[in-house]
Amino acid sequence: MIAAHGVSKRFGRRQVIDGLEAEVATGRITALVGPNGAGKTTFLKVLLGLVRPDAGCVAVDGHALDGSAAYRAAIGYMPQIARFPAYASGRDLLDLLRALRGGTEEPDLSLAEAFGLGDGLDRPVGVLSGGMRQKVNAVLAFAFQPRLLILDEPTAGLDPLGCRILKDRVLAERAIGTTVLITSHVLPELEELADDVLLLGDGRTTWSGSVHDLKVITGAVTLERAVAGLLADRPMTGAGR
Amino acid sequence: MTPALLPLVRPALREALRGRWLLGLMLGLMLVGELLLRFGGGGPTTLVSMLDVVLILTPLVGLVFGTLQLHHGREFTELLLAQPVRRTRLFAVLYLGAAVPLAAALAVGVLAPFAWHGNLGGAGAGRVLALAGAAVVLALVSTALAFVIALAADDRVRALGLALALWLVAAVLWDGLLLLVAMGFGNRPIEVPLLVLLGLNPIDLTRVLLLLGTDAAALLGYTGALAQRVLGDAAGRAVLGVLLTGWLVVPLVAARRAFVRKDF
């Protein structure tokens, strides 16, 4: 679904991504993990066309990223920080995204129903709690039949029930063949979701492969311990730079 | 503006109308207009006073709110950019969403008092409409400049500082600069430097364009008095109109280019 070759990006004097090679398999859930400053967010932004790499090539669903916008019709993106215009309601936002997408797709509101958002979609997001806003954020990402879901810390701010519902939806999406790329600082969150792991460090791929292989290699029982084991083997000298 | 943009701009319009600052701006202008009409005698001086208010206020509001709006909506803009929409199109949506509500609020705020005092029928109507038009043009120009600033300065405070500095120079210090230059030239012909300095300031351009051909030109400081002499004919007006259009088009093109190339 995603293939990145030799991708580099420099912001000022900081080399955020440095010759990144990465593959994300179609129809699987890939956990994008790594220490702070490893380049996770920048990599996601490259995939979304928000950031243009200085070098290298990226293909999403067979389309090489060249500045055109059409490939993003297949992407559902849930940003880490959901700051919406305070006066807009969830429904206004859905209308806006629908119009931006050509105005032909009816939004799928089943996630809103599962969350029990009720009239939360009709109230201005400014008056909603952080958790409710995050639910609106999720509803927007899942609303237009995505073939690729990019979820940046999706469970941040959600209550346990909300987390459960969101995870169930992610698993349901995988069951119908959707590719999911997900980041989280809370690795146990990813335990029951992730099929594959893409571990970044210093703007490169430190390790990538299936969760099963990772656990075998490191001899760890949980994803968190396995990733920690990898990090301990290869200390990230530049982490947090 | 293509018709396809309309459904996209509508939410931004609704958003702006629900924000209270636009409403406050509109009511404030109405109040000023009402006071000027009630106690200012209602003659041409009322129009000139109102023009001064518009010339000072519009660039300030346009620059400050244009800058803030683009920075404030940054995360939301990222979400919109992640949709299948070209950046040029989204730029148009963001610009119109910021500039059109401001222009509308200013136009209504300017026109309403004259309307309910019965000045919109009859001979003076053209002048009042021209005043509202000036507010609209300045709103479009200052929002475009604000977008240039906001896209050039990633730091919100720095962008706001630049916007305020630009306003201070253009709205407050410029006439003083003109006077200094004029004095410096003494008895030598000053038409060319005057025209150059005029062309460098959209506020002065608007003022002169509006006051040309009225007796009020002489009331309005050095720029107005001189411009009447130099630019009072149709050709002069055409030149001013072209320059003012340039002040809209050039910043818009620059901002659009910066937006298309930007890393978010």
Side-chain angles (χ1 to χ4, degrees), chain A residues 5-11 14-22 37-39 42-43 46 53-56 200-206 241:
Chain A
H5 295 296
V7 176
S8 293
K9 182 67 192 181
R10 175 185 288 274
F11 287 124
R14 212 163 66 94
Q15 190 74 44
V16 185
I17 297 185
D18 189 10
L20 178 78
E21 303 279 334
T42 305
F43 179 52
V46 167
D54 303 324
L200 299 190
D202 274 347
R204 299 165 192 239
T205 301
T206 308
R241 185 172 51 179

Side-chain angles (χ1 to χ4, degrees), chain A residues 83 167 218 225 227:
Chain A
R83 276 195 206 128
K167 284 187 199 169
T218 57
R225 285 182 183 279
V227 170

